[in-house]
Amino acid sequence: MIKLENIHKYYDSQHVLKGINVNVNKGEVVSILGPSGSGKSTLLRCINFLEEPTSGIVEISDKRVDASSASKADIFSLRTSTGMVFQQYNLFKNLTVLQNVMIGLTNVKHIKKDEAKKTSLEILEKVGLTNRLNHYPAQLSGGQQQRVGIARALALNPEVLLFDEPTSSLDPELVDEVLATIRAVADTGKTMFIVTHELNFAREISDRVVFMEDGIIVEEGTAEQMFNHPKMERTKQFLSKATRNN
């Protein structure tokens, strides 16, 4: 379903990703954990070329893009297979909730307005926002804004959903509503990559967990294995300390 082959990323002389290899099966939920600066978010953004890998290959279903020769058409095609949920919501401030969800359908997929509205209403019902259709982002809580972001990504019916620390900008009391929405999406069988510091959530929702540090994958395995029987000492140290702080 998703295959990352030897992904490297440099920012000038800084080597941020150092030959990452990951395979994800259809319907899997994979959480990426690690300390700040480990390359987690950069890796996530390389999957849809929001950050262009310096080298390596990204494959999603039948779309295979080599970073060394990727054209704009290749990148656009790859991006249509992904939906991204950002830390900072990235909603259009001048559009209502309904318009924010519709815009990808009308502008990217060129779906007729009536059909786009119908799809958007169905998705917004699933994330519990039918009572906020005509509100603007400034009129919403952070949790509501993030749920709009999730609805916008879902509306495009992507093959894979990418979550970049979706609760990091939220007040603590708003985190649970967003996590509940992500759980509901996972229950539908969507393939998902989640960068998160919410370790209890990662333990609960993940089929597999990837632990990164300093631009490499230190260890990966099932959630049960990683949280209960990690093999690498660095993984044990991180999870032990991070779990105490959660």
Side-chain angles (χ1 to χ4, degrees), residues 6 32 37 89 112 128 138-139 170 187 206 225 234 240 242 246:
N6 200 26
I32 306 175
Y89 324 134
K112 291 182 179 179
Q139 298 172 304
L170 299 176
D187 288 342
S206 304
Q225 174 199 322
R234 181 65 186 100
S240 174
N246 256 244

Side-chain angles (χ1 to χ4, degrees), residues 95 98-117 120 155-156:
L95 300 182
L98 180 58
Q99 290 168 337
N100 262 286
V101 178
M102 286 178 60
I103 193 168
L105 293 171
T106 55
N107 289 17
V108 177
K109 290 206 165 184
H110 306 293
I111 292 173
K112 291 182 179 179
K113 190 173 181 180
D114 287 348
E115 185 180 346
K117 183 176 181 179
S120 299
L156 296 172

Side-chain angles (χ1 to χ4, degrees), residues 33 68 72 80 98-99 107 113 141 178 186 194 212 239:
L33 309 180
S68 65
K72 289 183 179 180
T80 62
L98 180 58
Q99 290 168 337
N107 289 17
K113 190 173 181 180
S141 70
V178 172
I194 306 172
M212 290 183 64
L239 291 175

Side-chain angles (χ1 to χ4, degrees), residues 13 32 75 176 196 225:
S13 62
I32 306 175
I75 293 170
D176 285 348
T196 183
Q225 174 199 322

Side-chain angles (χ1 to χ4, degrees), residues 55-171:
S55 63
I57 295 170
V58 177
E59 186 174 323
I60 301 177
S61 296
D62 60 343
K63 300 181 177 81
R64 182 178 173 88
V65 180
D66 189 327
S68 65
S69 58
S71 66
K72 289 183 179 180
D74 291 332
I75 293 170
F76 179 79
S77 178
L78 192 72
R79 285 180 182 165
T80 62
S81 298
T82 68
M84 186 85 170
V85 179
F86 300 89
Q87 295 180 38
Q88 300 294 337
Y89 324 134
N90 285 23
L91 302 179
F92 293 102
K93 295 179 181 180
N94 62 325
L95 300 182
T96 65
V97 166
L98 180 58
Q99 290 168 337
N100 262 286
V101 178
M102 286 178 60
I103 193 168
L105 293 171
T106 55
N107 289 17
V108 177
K109 290 206 165 184
H110 306 293
I111 292 173
K112 291 182 179 179
K113 190 173 181 180
D114 287 348
E115 185 180 346
K117 183 176 181 179
K118 180 175 182 293
T119 298
S120 299
L121 289 171
E122 290 171 354
I123 297 294
L124 285 164
E125 182 176 7
K126 290 179 181 178
V127 301
L129 287 172
T130 51
N131 61 339
R132 294 289 188 273
L133 299 179
N134 296 314
H135 286 59
Y136 291 89
Q139 298 172 304
L140 304 176
S141 70
Q144 289 169 336
Q145 289 185 64
Q146 191 59 291
R147 283 190 282 152
V148 176
I150 294 170
R152 179 180 58 188
L154 281 173
L156 296 172
N157 195 27
E159 294 184 68
V160 58
L161 282 170
L162 309 174
F163 294 84
D164 187 8
E165 296 191 23
T167 60
S168 65
S169 297
L170 299 176
D171 293 332

